[in-house]
Amino acid sequence: MTEEKFTSLIFLYALVNFILFILYRFTQRFKIVHRFLSLIDNLIFSLLLGYGFYRANRLFVLLVPSVLLIVYPIAWGLNRELSDEELDSVVILKLPFPIKQENRIKLKIVFIHFATFPFYYLLDSWSAR
């Protein structure tokens, strides 16, 4: 697979995650659908990560489970344990145009939720709430 195809796959994956993120924010009642989609989403992420590691060095594929064991608890902790004020302090956001403080805080929180979405999506869809 060429690098252009791999880059386009990553872009397509990010686009699909953006759509899933919007879908999840507005339809949290459909747990079974979200469980199925989150499994597929994380499987695709793991495959892309493994392929990227494979392209760098074949032995790096062994690091995929270690990376996932680090990323899942961080995503869960950021989304579940931190308050909005603490999430706000995680992201440094500087914009060339003025935005009200409360909108800037909301934007930072949405950014954190989107950045950790694939991992948090899997854990939250399978959690017993």
Side-chain angles (χ1 to χ4, degrees):
M1 183 182 301
T2 64
E3 191 164 327
E4 293 85 26
K5 287 184 181 180
F6 185 64
T7 306
S8 64
L9 281 177
I10 292 174
F11 177 74
L12 181 63
Y13 175 75
L15 181 65
V16 168
N17 265 322
F18 182 71
I19 294 167
L20 279 176
F21 180 71
I22 292 170
L23 178 74
Y24 179 70
R25 301 266 296 180
F26 293 111
T27 63
Q28 291 185 359
R29 289 183 166 203
F30 305 115
K31 276 276 200 203
I32 295 173
V33 173
H34 288 300
R35 287 177 180 173
F36 178 71
L37 291 175
S38 68
L39 283 174
I40 293 172
D41 184 35
N42 280 270
L43 179 64
I44 292 171
F45 174 79
S46 299
L47 290 173
L48 286 174
L49 182 67
Y51 182 72
F53 280 171
Y54 180 80
R55 287 181 55 100
N57 186 340
R58 291 181 181 165
L59 292 177
F60 284 172
V61 174
L62 299 174
L63 295 176
V64 171
S66 301
V67 169
L68 295 178
L69 283 174
I70 293 169
V71 169
Y72 283 104
I74 290 173
W76 183 260
L78 282 175
N79 285 289
R80 283 291 181 162
E81 303 297 325
L82 296 182
S83 66
D84 288 349
E85 294 82 23
E86 292 169 327
L87 277 177
D88 175 42
S89 66
V90 169
V91 179
I92 298 172
L93 180 67
K94 305 221 183 240
L95 296 172
F97 47 89
I99 294 180
K100 293 181 184 177
Q101 183 66 23
E102 67 261 5
N103 290 338
R104 187 177 305 146
I105 291 170
K106 288 178 186 175
L107 186 64
K108 289 179 181 183
I109 291 168
V110 167
F111 174 75
I112 288 286
H113 288 248
F114 181 70
T116 61
F117 176 70
F119 324 110
Y120 178 71
Y121 185 39
L122 178 73
L123 297 172
D124 188 49
S125 65
W126 287 93
S127 69
R129 259 204 267 173

